[in-house]
Each structure stands twice: as structure tokens, then as C-alpha cells.
Amino acid sequence: MYQYDEYDQRIVDERVAQFADQTRRYLGGELSDDEFRPLRLQNGLYIQRHAPMLRIAAPYGNLNSKQLRTLGHIARTYDRGYGHITTRQNIQFNWPRLEDVPEILGLLANVQMHAIQTSGNCIRNVTSDPFAGVAADERVDPRPWCEILRQWSTFHPEFAFLPRKFKIAVNGAAEDRAVIQVHDIGLDIVRNAAGELGFRVLVGGGLGRTPIIGEEVAAFVPWQQILNYCEAILRVYNQHGRRDNAYKARIKILVKALGVPEFARQVEAEFAHLEDGPSTLTQAEIDRVASRFTDPVLSPLQADAGYRARLAEDKTFAAWARRNVREHRVPGYASVVLSLKPHGVAPGDLTAEQFDAVADLADRYSFGEVRSTHEQNIVLASVREADLVALWQDARAIGLATPNIGLLTDIISCPGGDFCALANAKSIPIAKAIQERFDNLDYLFDIGDLEINISGCMNACGHHHVGHIGILGVDKNGAEFYQVTIGGQQGNEAALGKVIGPSFAAAEMPDVITSLINNYIDHRHDDERFIDTVRRIGVEPFKTRVYAERGARQQAGEIAHV
Amino acid sequence: MSDIIKNGRIQADDWTVLRLAEGEEAATVALPAGRVIVPLALWQARRDALLEQARAGAVGVWLAGDDDPTALAADLAALPVIAVDFPKFADGRGYSLATLLRTRHGYTGALRAIGDVLRDQFFFLLRCGFSELQPRAGKYTAAQLEAALASLRDFSEPYQGAVDRPEPLFRRQPRRPLAREAA
């Protein structure tokens, strides 16, 4: 992963000093709540239901073992013994004290980490493919470009107080695993007909209250110009994005209001002034940034006989390998996903001991590095095939080998009403109830690929719009209810789910999922996935089934009429 | 007289910022005595009458967040000061306005931040080309303002180019690849 140089280190050190002073002035009464709020938010610090929540940046999901151990130490010392991987590849702690935050930031700076711009109306952590650099379908490694964007956006003086938050994602592979279509700017690294590198630029995607799929604003921006082009987009947005209504302030609303052609025209007009200016990138700078990524140099290895034999004779191991092990671009290596979705645990949670244990696994099996995923799991990117059995055994011992990656119980969920002050409803208990209902592994395997995404409110941190099944917490006369969508999808064919009908009480949710699954199983063709069946037969048969079976339960007196 | 920050120091300042009150018209409102910074609408309504005073260093213009800086393009050489208003410190349009005045329109005169100007934004304001920072009267005690000067230097080597340092860090400083550093 990227190694800081003296300038990178100085910036995070200066940030720690700045925030320590701001916190001191706030606690001393010199800064009002309103004045301190954006300052703490731009350091990832929310005031939450129970205590401040601190969101720490994992740039494009990259973490090393030293950083993981520091996170474990923070969980143990300043929190209640656990932390949480977010849907934007960051790490959150739910229980630190405000007074301790400057000290925590100091510990993070010691291991090249920070909480800069993890919240607030500014350019947020850049996200990307957790399999960057190792995926077989990769065109270009997105990480150096993510790092260049990170540096450009860090304390950008013109764009620190945008109308609303601003998220950038970068994809460099055939299959988009960074969900670039639902970001404020989605960058797709491409080559033009002449073989030159550049970016296809999407703008105005996003989930939240008004979910929109991003649209192409430029088919090809040469790599040298990408910072100039982003600056043009941000300047148009900073000047003309709405500031009168926070719900209408994202760039997607501006793009919709102007229309893509007019928005693109304004960006091009601005870009015409910036093109070839001082922020133009050079090959030397790209090479320098790339050189600071300490990737192992891997040579192809012979297929491992022990691994193959174990696959044939051990069904439990084979099940794990089938779901949690992924092809690597170098023969003899694989990528492994550690599941943070054991049944009955809040999705994405890691205990302090697990942070340490994951650090050990990284050191032992994957060159000391891991990646967090937006699905809230952890990837060991480069593991020798010959080590897979040992890794599996070690991962099982710490509860991180549930063979459910991409299955129904690999649920994406925001922290929800248990923690978040914004939530209408709880998310985690719904995830747990569904995991308990679908506890039979053979049945889960039979159901196959299925993504359930849960958000506790319209802000959509759980990405419910792009879940094959999306669950949204809503407030109904002061009670917690859940609206269900189906047909959402991430990736190249990104789509927003459709609402199936009136919302449900929490206790009904496992039955609702059961009805959806049974309808799928009754209609599916051969190896058809849930999402493909929905696309083929439409929402209606699912809707009919769910509400018919709900009616029957009400008739039988199993649930109250609501 | 109020205090402003200019050239890294606190200085007494005698400009009056004229804001139109309810019912006052740009075309007819009486100007206060002394040096005055008027809203763009007033400048546009009474430009011919005010141009000489501007040239004499007694009238400047302030822009609101939604004003178009090209409206002043013909007058940049005549104006002794242009101010940009921050109605709330979290309203960031002024950063783009200042950047455009400096880089697009080539304005080299005094550029002042007025309104909700707080010390924790000083660094960003300077980077976007402001040369004068005017916190609201009474916002800071003399001691607090003195302490706030430290915020002008929050970061020593920012990554990206901006008005104050147009070149990004990778052009300003020799940043090394990892291999050479290890060698």
C-alpha cells in the first residue's frame, strides 16, 4: 500500500495539532456548537445517540497490519472493545470521548492514518475496488489514481465548504466493484482507440433521498487532465449547487436541474481555462506515486496439490473456498474474503481482538496488508494457494470464516437506530433476524447469489436502493417500519430497486424475505440468480406472493393487522 | 475603525461596508462618510458617479455569493478593494469567487473576506487569494484575534495548487519515489 513521504506525514501531524487546538477552544467555550460542528465533521466526528462517533479514513480501503493493531488498541482503550467497517470502506468507533479524540488522531498519525474529510460537506474518502492490483479483469490499477485524488482533495481550500458532501469512486476493471454509478463523480479508467489512458467521467449518481444513476459527462478525459477536469466539475457545483435545502444540495440535483448537456457545457467551459494548467499531471508524478505502493512482486506458482486434495475431501473447506476465495491474476495465488457477517453479529463489526488477529493473518499470509470492502468485509489480496487451508483454519478460530460471501446472509447494513441519531429505525436487529431465519448453509448455497442491503433511513448508508433486496427503515406514526424494494443491483448493470408495496413491522421481516425467496425458487430457471429472475418476471409476482402470504398470516392471527 | 488581518498582522481599518437595509434602494441610498465598500447592485446603479471616488481610493465593491465576478471585469483596475461576503462561514461560494477574481480576471488589488469570517477558515481564505480578512466587529477579543494569527499557518506544504501557490506540491518540491528513498 501507499507509504507516506515526509510531506504526507507533515500534513497529518499538522492536522492533529490543528484539531487539538480546535477541540480545546470548543471545550473552553471559545467556539460555539455551530462553529465547531463542521470542523469536527471534517475530522469524522459526529455527535451520536450515545456518544461521539469517530470515522477514520481507510483510503480506498487499504490498511496494513500495523494500522490494524492501532485500530485494535483504539477499540480497546477508547471504545467498548469493537469497531465497525462502513459501507464506504472506512472504520468507525461508536464510543470515544470527545476529549480523547485529539489523542486518538495522534496515534493514527503515527501509523500514517487520519480522519480527514470522512464527513462534512467536502470531498470524502475516495473509494475503489478492494481487489485492485490483483483482479484478473483489471485494465489499470486504480490505486495510484485514488491516491493522487486523495492528495488533491485533502484540504482543497476552494472546496472545503461545498453545498453538500461529495463522493468520488474509481474503477479500473471490466466489472465495476466500486459502484461508480452511484457516486457524485464516478471515474472509469479506460483506453481510447489510440491506446491512450484516460477517464470516462460520470457525474450526479447517488443514493440517499433521491437515488439517481450517474450519467456520462465526458467519454474520455486524458489522464494528464483529470485533476483539472475534476476541479472544473467542483467549481461549477460549488458556485451553483443549491444551498437553501440540504435535501436538494447534492450535485445530482444540479445535474438534473440543468440537464446533462447543459451541465457538461458549463464544465467544459470551466475546463477550457484549466486545461494544461499547473495541476496537469506528469508521468513522473504518476510513477512516483505508484512507486510508493509496496506491492509484493509475485511469480507464478505451481498449483498446490494439498489444496486441491483438501477441496475434494473436505466439504466444509470446499464450501468456504467456493464462496470466500477469489481468483488472483497470478497463478498459484488467490484473494480471500474474511466474512464479517457471522450470523448474529452486527454486519461489519470487529472486536479489538479480531483487529489484532486480522493483523496477524495479514502478516502471516498476505504481505501484511488487507483491504476493507464496501460490503463490509475484509480482503486478504494475495494469499498463496498452499496457505489457504492454514488460513481457513486460523480464520475459523477467530470467527471470520463464515462461508457466505455474496449469499443472503452477507448483508450490508448501516449502524441504524441502535447508534445513529439520523436513523428512523434499527437496522442491525433486522439483519440478525434474517440471518437467524436463514441459518442453514445448504439452503443458503441453494439460494445462491443474493444481496440484501439495509438502511435505517433515507440517507441510504446501507445502499438499500442497489440491493437485490433493499430494506429501508421508515417512521410510521412514531413506530419503526420497513419498506422493501427488489431488483436493485450494483456493478456494471447498476439499477435502483422498486418498492413492492406498503411497509412492514420489524417482526414481519424474516417472513417477508421467506416469501420473496420462495417465489424466486418457484420461478427460477436452472442456475438463474434471484436478481435475474426479478429482471425476467418483474416485481409483480413477488409483490403478490409477499402480500398474499402476509394476509394469510394475519388471517391466522399470527400478526396484528397493521 | 475595526481590526482586519492583512500581511499576517492585525491592522486598524477605516473602510465601512455598506449593506442595504430593508426598504433602501441601491440607486438612492445615502453613502456614509469616509471610505466605503458598496454592494455590487449599488456600484452598477451609480458607477458613473462613483468611478472617480474609486480611483481616488475611497470606494470599493463587495460581492455576494451569487454575484457574477465578470460584472466587475471592466473596473478591476479602478477599484482599491473588492470584498466577498460570507453570509455564513459554511457557505463556500466565496472561495470560488475569490479564485476566479484572481486567476480568471487577473485582479491584483486588495481582496477582502467580510461577513462570517472565522479563524478556522483563515488558511483556506488566504489560499484562495484573499489578502484581507475582516471578522465581524466584536467577534474576537484583541487577545483572541492575536492568537488567531496562528491559524494563518495551519499547514506548511499543502498538496494542491491554489491562488497563493499555483503549483501543486509535486511541482514545488522534489518528492521522492520510494526506492530512491530507501537507497
Side-chain angles (χ1 to χ4, degrees), chain A residues 96-403:
Chain A
R97 296 185 325 136
L98 172 61
E99 294 80 348
D100 290 336
V101 170
E103 192 173 303
I104 296 172
L105 294 180
L107 292 173
L108 292 171
N110 290 342
V111 292
Q112 307 190 351
M113 292 187 88
H114 59 78
I116 296 165
Q117 290 168 215
T118 53
S119 182
N121 296 334
C122 52
I123 303 173
R124 303 286 190 87
N125 183 32
V126 177
T127 54
S128 192
D129 180 1
F131 299 100
V134 299
D137 70 337
E138 188 169 271
R139 295 184 293 261
V140 177
D141 187 345
R143 292 170 300 165
W145 299 100
C146 291
E147 179 57 26
I148 283 166
L149 286 160
R150 181 190 78 82
Q151 297 191 13
W152 166 77
S153 60
T154 297
F155 306 132
H156 197 300
E158 190 181 341
F159 306 130
F161 293 96
L162 296 168
R164 198 71 182 84
K165 59 187 170 184
F166 202 91
K167 301 174 178 178
I168 302 177
V170 186
N171 170 55
E175 174 67 23
D176 167 25
R177 286 174 290 267
V179 218
I180 63 170
Q181 293 183 71
V182 294
H183 282 76
D184 296 281
I185 292 181
L187 297 176
D188 209 9
I189 313 175
V190 294
R191 289 190 186 276
N192 64 10
E196 295 157 337
L197 194 77
F199 293 84
R200 186 169 74 96
V201 180
L202 310 180
V203 179
L207 298 174
R209 196 167 289 256
T210 315
I212 293 176
I213 298 290
E215 296 201 55
E216 184 177 295
V217 169
F220 187 82
V221 174
W223 63 266
Q224 296 91 335
Q225 305 297 337
I226 193 61
L227 296 183
N228 295 325
Y229 199 83
C230 287
E231 185 173 325
I233 292 170
L234 265 299
R235 186 166 294 150
V236 170
Y237 172 54
N238 191 41
Q239 291 188 281
H240 302 299
R242 284 181 63 173
R243 291 175 185 269
D244 59 330
N245 180 345
Y247 299 132
K248 307 237 178 255
R250 294 284 292 270
I251 196 173
K252 59 193 172 188
I253 305 293
L254 177 66
V255 174
K256 278 285 161 201
L258 293 175
V260 173
E262 172 58 17
F263 177 79
R265 189 198 63 74
Q266 292 189 15
V267 170
E268 286 296 330
E270 188 59 40
F271 175 62
H273 294 284
L274 300 171
E275 191 170 10
D276 295 328
S279 298
T280 303
L281 289 165
T282 62
Q283 189 63 51
E285 173 63 358
I286 309 306
D287 293 345
R288 184 193 70 78
V289 173
S291 82
R292 301 197 70 85
F293 281 82
T294 52
D295 280 357
V297 179
L298 304 179
S299 309
L301 300 173
Q302 292 290 322
D304 184 67
Y307 168 59
R308 306 282 155 182
R310 188 69 176 245
L311 276 183
E313 70 205 22
D314 185 339
K315 276 174 75 176
T316 318
F317 176 69
W320 177 78
R322 183 170 146 209
R323 295 309 315 189
N324 298 36
V325 175
R326 232 177 142 278
E327 193 193 352
H328 193 286
R329 67 155 62 140
V330 179
Y333 285 87
S335 297
V336 170
V337 187
L338 300 175
S339 171
L340 306 192
K341 317 292 178 66
H343 301 177
V345 172
D349 272 8
L350 275 177
T351 64
E353 292 67 35
Q354 285 175 323
F355 274 111
D356 289 344
V358 171
D360 293 343
L361 293 186
D363 282 339
R364 207 172 303 147
Y365 299 113
S366 196
F367 305 92
E369 296 182 7
V370 306
R371 289 93 180 276
S372 53
T373 77
H374 82 268
E375 288 98 347
Q376 304 175 286
N377 292 309
I378 286 186
V379 166
L380 297 170
S382 297
V383 179
R384 294 192 317 157
E385 229 176 64
D387 287 337
L388 285 171
V389 174
L391 166 58
W392 170 64
Q393 287 164 337
D394 289 352
R396 276 179 105 183
I398 55 170
L400 299 182
T402 311

Side-chain angles (χ1 to χ4, degrees), chain B residues 53-118:
Chain B
Q53 293 177 61
R55 289 209 173 99
V59 169
V61 176
W62 66 266
L63 300 175
D66 54 359
D67 284 336
D68 183 354
T70 54
L72 288 178
D75 302 326
L76 296 178
L79 291 168
V81 62
I82 297 176
V84 173
D85 185 43
F86 289 80
K88 291 182 292 190
F89 74 91
D91 181 341
R93 290 174 296 183
Y95 296 100
S96 287
L97 276 180
T99 300
L100 287 170
L101 279 167
R102 292 295 196 203
T103 60
R104 192 69 36 84
H105 302 293
Y107 178 65
T108 55
L111 186 58
R112 176 178 299 202
I114 60 171
D116 202 15
V117 175
L118 306 181

Side-chain angles (χ1 to χ4, degrees), chain A residues 416-431:
Chain A
D418 290 304
F419 297 98
C420 180
L422 302 173
N424 290 319
K426 296 184 188 71
S427 306
I428 293 167
I430 301 299

Side-chain angles (χ1 to χ4, degrees), chain A residues 2-3 5-8 10-11 14-15 18 21-22 25 30-31 34-35 38-39 150-152 154-158 160-161 235 238-239 243 270 273-274 278-282 285 288 291-292 294, chain B residues 69 88-93 95-97 99-100 103-104 118-121 124 127-128 139 144 151 154-162 166-171 173-179 181:
Chain A
Y2 181 78
Q3 303 295 308
D5 70 4
E6 61 190 290
Y7 298 102
D8 299 308
R10 196 188 303 171
I11 281 173
E14 288 173 341
R15 172 57 142 192
Q18 181 196 41
D21 182 58
Q22 290 168 341
R25 280 187 279 129
E30 262 185 73
L31 273 173
D34 283 346
E35 289 168 358
L39 305 179
R150 181 190 78 82
Q151 297 191 13
W152 166 77
T154 297
F155 306 132
H156 197 300
E158 190 181 341
F161 293 96
R235 186 166 294 150
N238 191 41
Q239 291 188 281
R243 291 175 185 269
E270 188 59 40
H273 294 284
L274 300 171
S279 298
T280 303
L281 289 165
T282 62
E285 173 63 358
R288 184 193 70 78
S291 82
R292 301 197 70 85
T294 52
Chain B
K88 291 182 292 190
F89 74 91
D91 181 341
R93 290 174 296 183
Y95 296 100
S96 287
L97 276 180
T99 300
L100 287 170
T103 60
R104 192 69 36 84
L118 306 181
R119 72 171 276 185
D120 294 293
Q121 284 76 55
F124 291 149
R127 291 222 67 205
C128 289
K139 173 65 200 170
Q144 284 174 337
S151 292
D154 273 347
F155 298 97
S156 49
E157 283 288 359
Y159 283 123
Q160 62 293 104
E167 299 210 312
L169 181 56
F170 72 84
R171 291 181 191 271
Q173 298 287 350
R175 300 191 74 184
R176 288 169 298 181
L178 197 60
E181 193 170 73

